[in-house]
């Protein structure tokens, strides 16, 4: 079954062009939207795997739509596709629940790869922005929270969690631990359920806030 991707952008030509590119590469585009309310309605009706979300939607905000979609549809991932690479915009989108952030200067192939990886659960960012997000999480976690009351995770899940906190993708974690990417994703999904989190970005934030990014002695 092909991945379903909804495109949200207030520019009709851009919105239509991205939708065509996706369909030509085998994705299903069940709906498009031009504003935040329309995006939320369509997402709730269609429940796509991924929503490609612009941040500036006329008088409405893609951040607001992202927050509502990720809060209502935990299985739907939001990948921001924006003309802005401003750090404040990136962090605001991530805090609203976006799984990744790509600038519109990305090539068509980069976009297609980013959509696939987002659907697989990887946090995907334009080069340079992933470091910004992880850096912000570390800044907010100068004093790591106590893990005494945290839900119990297995030793292997803890290993995966430490590598997620360092920004590694599922493929990189699989190589490092000599396990399959599918096994990595199983551990990630199990940990997300235990911690009641929605996506890899939230998991990375949790891991950093609880000191999992620190090397063991």
């Amino acid at each position: 079954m092909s991945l379903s991707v909804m495109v949200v952008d207030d520019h009709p030509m851009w919105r239509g062009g991205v939708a065509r590119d996706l369909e030509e590469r085998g994705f299903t585009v069940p709906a498009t939207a031009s504003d935040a309310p329309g995006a939320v309605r369509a997402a709730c009706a269609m429940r796509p795997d991924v929503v490609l979300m612009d941040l500036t939607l006329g008088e409405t905000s893609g951040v607001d739509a992202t927050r509502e979609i990720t809060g209502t549809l935990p299985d739907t991932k939001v990948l921001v596709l924006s003309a802005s690479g401003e750090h404040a915009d990136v962090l605001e989108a991530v805090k609203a629940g976006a799984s990744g952030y790509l600038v519109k200067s990305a090539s068509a192939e980069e976009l297609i790869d980013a959509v696939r990886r987002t659907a697989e659960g990887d946090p995907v960012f334009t080069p340079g922005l992933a470091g910004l997000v992880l850096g912000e999480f570390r800044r907010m976690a100068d004093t790591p929270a106590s893990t005494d009351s945290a839900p119990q995770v297995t030793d292997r899940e803890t290993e995966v969690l430490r590598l997620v906190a360092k920004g590694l993708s599922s493929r990189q974690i699989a190589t490092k631990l000599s396990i399959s990417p599918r096994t990595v994703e199983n551990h990630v999904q199990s940990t997300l359920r235990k911690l009641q989190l929605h996506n890899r970005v939230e998991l990375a934030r949790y891991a950093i806030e609880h000191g999992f990014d620190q090397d063991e002695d």
Side-chain angles (χ1 to χ4, degrees):
M1 184 178 296
S2 65
L3 292 172
S4 59
V5 185
M6 193 175 89
V7 181
V8 183
D9 197 289
D10 65 339
H11 293 284
M13 291 183 63
W14 178 270
R15 187 170 67 243
V18 171
R20 283 192 298 274
D21 285 345
L22 290 167
E23 290 175 331
E24 288 172 359
R25 287 164 174 80
F27 295 95
T28 299
V29 181
T32 64
S34 61
D35 58 23
V40 173
R41 286 195 301 271
C44 289
M46 300 298 178
R47 296 179 177 269
D49 297 305
V50 178
V51 175
L52 270 179
M53 178 73 68
D54 191 12
L55 293 184
T56 306
L57 302 173
E59 297 181 356
T60 60
S61 169
V63 170
D64 292 337
T66 296
R67 185 178 295 109
E68 191 161 352
I69 290 170
T70 57
T72 305
L73 305 171
D75 292 332
T76 295
K77 298 175 176 64
V78 174
L79 173 62
V80 171
L81 181 62
S82 174
S84 170
E86 293 294 325
H87 292 182
D89 290 336
V90 178
L91 295 174
E92 190 177 13
V94 169
K95 290 173 183 177
S99 294
Y101 195 108
L102 208 62
V103 296
K104 287 185 174 180
S105 57
S107 69
E109 292 307 318
E110 287 172 330
L111 173 59
I112 297 304
D113 179 65
V115 170
R116 289 198 178 102
R117 289 175 55 202
T118 298
E120 291 171 359
D122 282 345
V124 182
F125 293 89
T126 290
L129 297 184
L132 162 73
V133 173
L134 291 176
E136 175 66 7
F137 289 168
R138 291 191 178 100
R139 185 193 66 76
M140 296 170 63
D142 286 339
T143 304
S146 170
T147 58
D148 292 343
S149 61
Q152 293 299 308
V153 295
T154 66
D155 290 343
R156 178 62 93 182
E157 288 168 349
T158 298
E159 287 183 296
V160 172
L161 194 55
R162 290 188 186 282
L163 297 174
V164 167
K166 293 178 183 295
L168 274 65
S169 69
S170 291
R171 295 185 186 91
Q172 291 170 324
I173 294 172
T175 299
K176 195 170 185 68
L177 298 181
S178 299
I179 58 179
S180 72
R182 180 177 292 276
T183 299
V184 171
E185 190 56 30
N186 287 340
H187 287 310
V188 168
Q189 293 303 318
S190 174
T191 308
L192 286 172
R193 286 193 297 272
K194 289 180 180 180
L195 301 178
Q196 297 184 333
L197 301 174
H198 297 108
N199 56 46
R200 284 278 293 269
V201 177
E202 289 185 8
L203 187 61
R205 180 173 182 171
Y206 174 93
I208 291 169
E209 288 178 344
H210 289 77
F212 284 97
D213 61 323
Q214 304 301 316
D215 292 327
E216 295 181 294
D217 294 331

